[in-house]
Amino acid sequence: MSRHETASERVATNRPQVWSLSAVPGRIEHMIEALAGPGAGEVDALTASHLLASIQASRQIEHAEAARQLDLAAQWADLHPPESIHDAAAFTVPGSEHEELIAGEGAPLVAEFCLAELGTVLGCSTTTAKKLVGHALELRHRLPRLWAQVHTGRVPAWGARAVAEVTIHTTPSLTVAAAAFVDAQVAAVAGRVGPAQLDRLVAEAITRFDLADAHPAADPEDGYLHVDPRHATIDTQDVHFAGTMRMEAELDIADALDRALTHGAALRKALGSDESLATRRAKALGDLARTQTALDLAGAGTEPQRLPAAREVVLHAHFDASMDGRATVFAPTGRMEEGQRLVLLDQVQSWCADSRTKITVKPVIDLNADLSTPAYEIPDRLREQVTLRDRTCVFPWCTRPARRGDVDHVVEFGHEAEAEGRAQPGPTATSNLACLCRFHHRLKTHTAWRYRMTAPAVFEWTSPHGHRYRRDRHGTTAIDPPDPPDPPGIPRPRRP
């Protein structure tokens, strides 16, 4: 780009460009050339205009590839319709694969286990892959105008997916006609709608197509059905190092929560607290959650035993400890299973200092010991050891807590081995047990997915398509062979 270009030339260069999916590969090559810019060492050529054009081209590549991923995700669903579950007898086996509706009414069903392979290739969880395919099918089959705009570059994929997420999960569910109404309205403004506007559109569709009549929560006397915005959401995955979590809520005005928090904060200050107003309001909310049994702040002579019972909250915190003479010395930081995050010892001590807090200290379990039992059933101590060792489901990129899942025999337990005088092929031992969430336990049992333990807490998975992954305490690493062959029996894709 020349230093002497005119302002009109720069404007023409930076105009948004429209592209079609069929032209994506060539278009991407052109944009990559634009990104390459001047050769190495030509620092003087890196003008401000060139940098702006380069970052614009980079964003266009991002949008083009996101649209292409949506299209490929839909094609993956085409390859795995319910008909791809070949063995009809499998439907009678508990836990076997079934078809699943992951988008709205009118979208095709998908064989559920195919989502795991897609997720591992993308380096994400099965749940995330399921959402991607669901959005792609929702857009292609129920929001076709928006789908077309994504593939011409008028609407970014992330914006279209946000609309699809709402139309999939709206209550009451949108019919095909109601979804088409939302599609027409959103496409008319090229997807430029905010969350509030989208909620109003969905509410209008529910009213226009009389969907509220079939919804028991709707009031038939209401002339206009509004999407209920009330919610209380706690982000348990994003835990601060101080042991706190973020909460977002939308309540009725009549609930007067703000007044209760203001009163609780003022009461703490009157009792001598020198904490900030924000901290005092947060603690007041915690008091409400515990039915105000953490402290008797009013102090009106109420006896502790007359207070209502607090709600029980179970937290699993693990700290390294050593002996200093006769005293036990705990490490300043530990690990909390909830959220898989670090927690400070001081923070845990402050929680335990509250009144009426029940503390349970369990015996130390050596995670390096090889425990075993001759029986098939897993005893509690062995189950706890494997849970603490694995922490989460050991399937690639799965983050579901181990404590909520199953403990699986990596090599199948031989129930007839003892009677037949054979050595047990799959012993109930630390070296042959792993934590799997229920979905991935079913996947391992009923599909060609296989895994083995190559070292303590180190697992190597092989997918039906030959992709391989290593899962250990540090996460998942792909160890794919080049160009894995397709397995036999993959059905031809259906046409949308």
Side-chain angles (χ1 to χ4, degrees), residues 14-275:
N14 293 328
R15 285 177 181 168
Q17 305 201 17
V18 176
W19 39 267
S20 64
L21 186 63
S22 60
V24 162
R27 180 67 183 138
I28 289 179
E29 291 176 2
H30 175 73
M31 288 189 284
I32 290 176
E33 290 177 1
L35 280 174
E42 298 180 28
V43 179
D44 292 341
L46 294 178
T47 64
S49 296
H50 181 270
L51 289 174
L52 288 175
S54 296
I55 198 168
Q56 182 187 44
S58 176
R59 177 55 61 90
Q60 290 174 353
I61 292 174
E62 179 184 1
H63 289 334
E65 282 300 300
R68 185 165 177 262
Q69 285 186 21
L70 276 176
D71 187 66
L72 294 174
Q75 292 184 46
W76 181 254
D78 294 339
L79 283 175
H80 298 88
E83 296 78 22
S84 65
I85 306 173
H86 299 293
D87 188 359
F91 288 104
T92 63
V93 178
S96 60
E97 184 176 19
H98 61 264
E99 67 272 18
E100 190 168 4
L101 182 65
I102 59 178
E105 173 190 329
L109 300 174
V110 179
E112 61 164 343
F113 286 159
C114 76
L115 302 170
E117 181 110 38
L118 180 63
T120 53
V121 169
L122 291 174
C124 65
S125 68
T126 303
T127 301
T128 301
K130 177 180 178 180
K131 183 171 291 189
L132 172 66
V133 176
H135 291 167
L137 295 178
E138 179 78 2
L139 287 165
R140 192 179 71 179
H141 292 270
R142 289 172 30 104
L143 307 173
R145 293 179 178 87
L146 198 56
W147 173 259
Q149 289 183 337
V150 168
H151 287 49
T152 57
R154 291 177 57 83
V155 176
W158 64 264
R161 292 186 63 182
V163 176
E165 177 71 11
V166 172
T167 57
I168 291 173
H169 298 293
T170 293
T171 301
S173 299
L174 297 183
T175 61
V176 174
F181 169 79
V182 175
D183 182 35
Q185 303 304 313
V186 174
V189 293
R192 296 184 181 92
V193 293
Q197 292 173 303
L198 184 57
D199 283 346
R200 285 194 292 270
L201 273 177
V202 170
E204 172 65 21
I206 292 172
T207 303
R208 181 181 294 261
F209 294 93
D210 299 323
L211 304 181
D213 295 340
H215 192 251
D219 187 348
E221 297 182 359
D222 287 346
Y224 188 82
L225 179 66
H226 295 273
V227 177
D228 194 342
R230 290 175 297 181
H231 71 99
T233 305
I234 300 178
D235 190 352
T236 59
Q237 299 302 314
D238 187 13
V239 181
H240 194 267
F241 71 88
T244 59
M245 294 184 296
R246 181 175 293 276
M247 176 180 181
E248 179 182 340
E250 190 154 347
L251 311 175
D252 288 325
I253 296 176
D255 287 339
L257 180 62
D258 182 68
R259 180 180 299 178
L261 299 186
T262 300
H263 174 74
L267 185 56
R268 283 182 173 274
K269 184 175 182 180
L271 293 173
S273 174
D274 58 357
E275 297 168 318

Side-chain angles (χ1 to χ4, degrees), residues 290-312:
R290 292 186 296 272
T291 324
Q292 294 185 338
T293 58
L295 292 172
D296 183 13
L297 297 181
T302 305
E303 297 180 8
Q305 60 269 23
R306 294 182 181 177
L307 292 174
R311 297 175 181 174
E312 181 181 12

Side-chain angles (χ1 to χ4, degrees), residues 132-452:
L132 172 66
V133 176
H135 291 167
L137 295 178
E138 179 78 2
L139 287 165
R140 192 179 71 179
H141 292 270
R142 289 172 30 104
L143 307 173
R145 293 179 178 87
L146 198 56
W147 173 259
Q149 289 183 337
V150 168
H151 287 49
T152 57
R154 291 177 57 83
V155 176
W158 64 264
R161 292 186 63 182
V163 176
E165 177 71 11
V166 172
T167 57
I168 291 173
H169 298 293
T170 293
T171 301
S173 299
L174 297 183
T175 61
V176 174
F181 169 79
V182 175
D183 182 35
Q185 303 304 313
V186 174
V189 293
R192 296 184 181 92
V193 293
Q197 292 173 303
L198 184 57
D199 283 346
R200 285 194 292 270
L201 273 177
V202 170
E204 172 65 21
I206 292 172
T207 303
R208 181 181 294 261
F209 294 93
D210 299 323
L211 304 181
D213 295 340
H215 192 251
D219 187 348
E221 297 182 359
D222 287 346
Y224 188 82
L225 179 66
H226 295 273
V227 177
D228 194 342
R230 290 175 297 181
H231 71 99
T233 305
I234 300 178
D235 190 352
T236 59
Q237 299 302 314
D238 187 13
V239 181
H240 194 267
F241 71 88
T244 59
M245 294 184 296
R246 181 175 293 276
M247 176 180 181
E248 179 182 340
E250 190 154 347
L251 311 175
D252 288 325
I253 296 176
D255 287 339
L257 180 62
D258 182 68
R259 180 180 299 178
L261 299 186
T262 300
H263 174 74
L267 185 56
R268 283 182 173 274
K269 184 175 182 180
L271 293 173
S273 174
D274 58 357
E275 297 168 318
S276 67
L277 175 62
T279 301
R280 286 184 280 115
R281 285 174 63 87
K283 287 193 170 184
L285 181 60
D287 294 340
L288 291 175
R290 292 186 296 272
T291 324
Q292 294 185 338
T293 58
L295 292 172
D296 183 13
L297 297 181
T302 305
E303 297 180 8
Q305 60 269 23
R306 294 182 181 177
L307 292 174
R311 297 175 181 174
E312 181 181 12
V313 178
V314 179
L315 299 176
H316 300 91
H318 305 278
F319 289 87
D320 291 333
S322 59
M323 297 298 297
D324 184 8
R326 294 186 177 182
T328 302
V329 180
F330 290 94
T333 59
R335 179 178 62 84
M336 189 167 62
E337 288 187 26
E338 288 70 21
Q340 297 298 320
R341 295 295 189 271
L342 295 177
V343 63
L344 299 178
L345 180 62
D346 291 342
Q347 183 69 43
V348 175
Q349 288 175 333
S350 68
W351 295 338
C352 296
D354 286 342
S355 61
R356 306 185 69 199
T357 299
K358 179 181 178 180
I359 305 171
T360 301
V361 180
K362 291 188 175 182
V364 174
I365 297 179
D366 185 357
L367 301 185
N368 297 316
D370 191 12
L371 307 180
S372 64
T373 177
Y376 172 73
E377 296 296 332
I378 304 170
D380 291 342
R381 183 172 177 80
L382 182 50
R383 180 181 298 273
E384 183 72 7
Q385 183 202 39
V386 176
T387 299
L388 294 176
R389 181 198 67 189
D390 293 343
R391 304 182 184 180
T392 66
C393 169
V394 301
F395 188 81
W397 283 286
C398 185
T399 59
R400 289 192 176 101
R403 197 170 293 279
R404 300 178 189 173
D406 303 331
V407 176
D408 175 53
H409 288 76
V410 178
V411 177
E412 185 178 358
F413 184 88
H415 293 278
E416 307 299 330
E418 183 177 358
E420 296 174 356
R422 298 184 290 111
Q424 178 55 250
T428 305
T430 306
S431 57
N432 190 48
L433 296 175
C435 292
L436 294 176
C437 67
R438 181 57 55 87
F439 176 84
H440 291 127
H441 193 174
R442 293 171 49 229
L443 184 79
K444 175 255 182 181
T445 303
H446 298 286
T447 71
W449 276 94
R450 292 292 177 263
Y451 76 128
R452 62 192 183 97

